[in-house]
Amino acid sequence: MENLWPLPTAEAADTIRSLCQRLLTETDTMTEVIAGSALMAQYEPALLPDASLIEEDRHLNRSDLVQWLTSNIQQPGRRVEPYIGQRTTEYIRDLLSRGIAPDFAGGWRVALGLGWRRWLEECVAHCTDPGLLVEVLDVSAKSMLQYALDSVSALREASLAAAMGNADADAIALIQLIASGTPMTEDLAEGRLRYRLGRPHVGLVVWTDDPEQADSLDDVVGAVRSASAPESALIARASATSRWIWLSGAATPDLRHVEKILAKATNVRAALGRPGRGLDGFRSSHQDALAAQALVVRLGSDRRFTAYADVELIDSITKDPASAQRFVTKTLGPLAGADEAIRQALLTYVQCGFNTTRAAASLYAHRNTVERRVSRANELSLVKVEENPTHVAAALLVLEIAPNIVTATPC
């Protein structure tokens, strides 16, 4: 690319290179700070509930950051080529197919401000020569600002290209309208989607954490479609790494076959909404599934299949992971780090109505074994189960979904 300002002196170039090498080691931390704030600046309501799209947005922010740092290690102070890879192109196409148009310029303004502040701190800390500091800041400011301008322009061009080649945009946009609560008649929606809405159905979100595993994701979707009757399955490509599925039937669909399909898949996970009926059920079951997916991603859980009905309480408790961590620690104390079998015995005991015999049957363990484990668990717990069984059970459920939450670094 054509450079629009004088190149830095050799000394300034060496300083910029050294600073970028140092910051390259903290790209994950910087990405978390920048991506969250930039996402809120773009504020597209349809994007926020979707954990897969948020992860793609975070990846885009990290790629932009790494691109500028590595380019300035190789050629300090020069104009940097925007990063628009295949994954970025697919992400933009997915946004357009859902009728989502983020304010990329607004997001970049926030990202630029946060990135410049961190760069300024690093420059002041490691550049003691005032004259050299001024030159480094002058050149890097031009490079960083031009990179933001070029990137926004490249994103707009990619959006135009994606819009011209997206044949499925109308169907996906209609699904997005229904899911977001836009008033619509059931007959219109059924006719355009070729999916029967006026009967019980459930919504699922199926996704992979690795874009390289998209083939496995499509294999799962294909198996689910093959196992379903005609017009009883609706499948939409929500993003490069996720699919939305609705299954319907004369009665509430039995999803045991879906669980079996997922058990055989590699690196594919699913979240399930509660059953519903009609347009309202279509929408609410889908929103449940999105919430369950967001919970699993937020807590870093490795669960393969999550039903929102099983985790709704945990979802409310863990909206703020740091608060959830404190809740678990202050409720369970040493029990949080105890053997899983001890924790599971106490949780099952509470869930079985404090009936040791039922708990033993559920755990396939001897009654005396369960009694010993429950007694030991209650000794370790800061809050005793007889004092507040609801809090104890909730804290144990959080640990069941996210066993590493008590060892994670607080936010």
Side-chain angles (χ1 to χ4, degrees):
M1 298 184 75
E2 178 188 1
N3 217 58
L4 304 177
W5 55 87
L7 297 179
T9 62
E11 187 178 9
D14 287 342
T15 301
I16 292 173
R17 181 181 292 110
S18 176
L19 292 169
C20 287
Q21 288 172 334
R22 189 175 286 109
L23 287 177
L24 196 59
T25 64
E26 58 178 82
T27 50
D28 288 340
T29 301
M30 292 177 64
T31 298
E32 293 306 316
V33 173
I34 291 172
S37 298
L39 185 67
M40 296 308 297
Q42 292 170 175
Y43 192 65
E44 178 64 40
L47 176 64
L48 299 180
D50 193 317
S52 293
L53 285 185
I54 289 177
E55 176 58 25
E56 290 305 298
D57 187 79
R58 191 198 68 81
H59 178 268
L60 176 59
N61 277 273
R62 189 182 190 282
S63 299
D64 287 334
L65 178 61
V66 170
Q67 175 79 348
W68 191 86
L69 290 172
T70 54
S71 295
N72 273 276
I73 290 172
Q74 297 166 0
Q75 295 181 313
R78 290 179 179 268
R79 189 176 180 182
V80 176
E81 184 82 29
Y83 176 82
I84 303 290
Q86 180 62 31
R87 187 169 175 179
T88 304
T89 302
E90 290 185 357
Y91 170 57
I92 291 173
R93 185 184 70 179
D94 293 334
L95 293 178
L96 287 172
S97 70
R98 306 256 297 270
I100 300 174
D103 180 5
F104 286 122
W108 258 102
R109 279 193 295 271
V110 172
L112 188 61
L114 292 170
W116 175 252
R117 175 58 186 266
R118 182 67 190 93
W119 177 255
L120 185 62
E121 291 172 348
E122 199 71 11
C123 289
V124 171
H126 297 94
C127 191
T128 56
D129 182 333
L132 179 61
L133 175 61
V134 169
E135 183 184 359
V136 168
L137 291 175
D138 180 52
V139 172
S140 57
K142 292 185 173 86
S143 175
M144 202 177 291
L145 177 59
Q146 190 62 47
Y147 182 54
L149 294 173
D150 290 339
S151 295
V152 171
S153 177
L155 287 168
R156 286 173 175 165
E157 290 179 8
S159 296
L160 288 174
M164 294 175 65
N166 196 342
D168 297 325
D170 287 347
I172 303 299
L174 179 64
I175 291 172
Q176 184 67 48
L177 288 173
I178 298 170
S180 64
T182 302
M184 188 176 304
T185 65
E186 193 171 287
D187 289 345
L188 173 63
E190 283 189 348
R192 292 180 60 180
L193 295 176
R194 297 181 181 178
Y195 171 77
R196 295 178 62 181
L197 287 164
R199 55 183 184 174
H201 41 216
V202 293
L204 297 97
V205 175
V206 181
W207 82 97
T208 177
D209 298 317
D210 182 3
E212 299 298 322
Q213 298 294 326
D215 289 344
S216 297
L217 182 63
D218 288 330
D219 289 343
V220 168
V221 170
V224 171
R225 188 192 295 275
S226 298
S228 305
E231 295 189 5
S232 68
L234 175 63
I235 298 170
R237 184 187 189 280
S239 74
T241 57
S242 68
R243 305 291 183 267
W244 292 348
I245 301 176
W246 288 263
L247 299 175
S248 65
T252 300
D254 184 347
L255 298 182
R256 283 178 291 185
H257 69 289
V258 176
E259 292 192 59
K260 290 179 181 178
I261 291 169
L262 282 164
K264 298 176 183 178
T266 302
N267 298 322
V268 177
R269 302 201 274 172
L272 169 70
R274 288 169 296 197
R277 190 184 186 96
L279 281 172
D280 287 340
F282 182 96
R283 182 183 305 116
S284 64
S285 190
H286 174 63
Q287 290 170 340
D288 284 351
L290 285 176
Q293 181 200 20
L295 166 72
V296 168
V297 173
R298 182 172 70 241
L299 297 182
S301 173
D302 60 359
R303 284 169 67 115
R304 297 283 301 280
F305 191 87
T306 305
Y308 188 66
D310 295 336
V311 299
E312 184 175 10
L313 173 62
I314 308 307
D315 184 36
S316 301
I317 294 173
T318 59
K319 293 294 187 184
D320 176 7
S323 295
Q325 183 188 62
R326 288 193 297 272
F327 170 71
V328 170
T329 302
K330 290 182 180 298
T331 301
L332 301 182
L335 179 58
D339 186 86
E340 183 181 354
I342 294 176
R343 299 199 307 264
Q344 188 61 47
L346 182 58
L347 177 59
T348 306
Y349 174 67
V350 176
Q351 291 174 329
C352 290
F354 307 98
N355 186 308
T356 307
T357 302
R358 287 176 55 200
S362 178
L363 292 168
Y364 299 100
H366 194 279
R367 189 176 188 280
N368 292 342
T369 300
V370 173
E371 284 183 345
R372 285 196 303 270
R373 289 175 179 174
V374 168
S375 178
R376 179 56 179 158
N378 209 28
E379 288 175 7
L380 293 173
S381 182
L382 288 181
V383 176
K384 306 307 176 185
V385 69
E386 63 271 13
E387 296 172 357
N388 197 329
T390 302
H391 276 205
V392 171
L396 288 169
L397 282 169
V398 172
L399 271 183
E400 185 178 58
I401 295 171
N404 297 321
I405 193 170
V406 292
T407 57
T409 302
C411 300

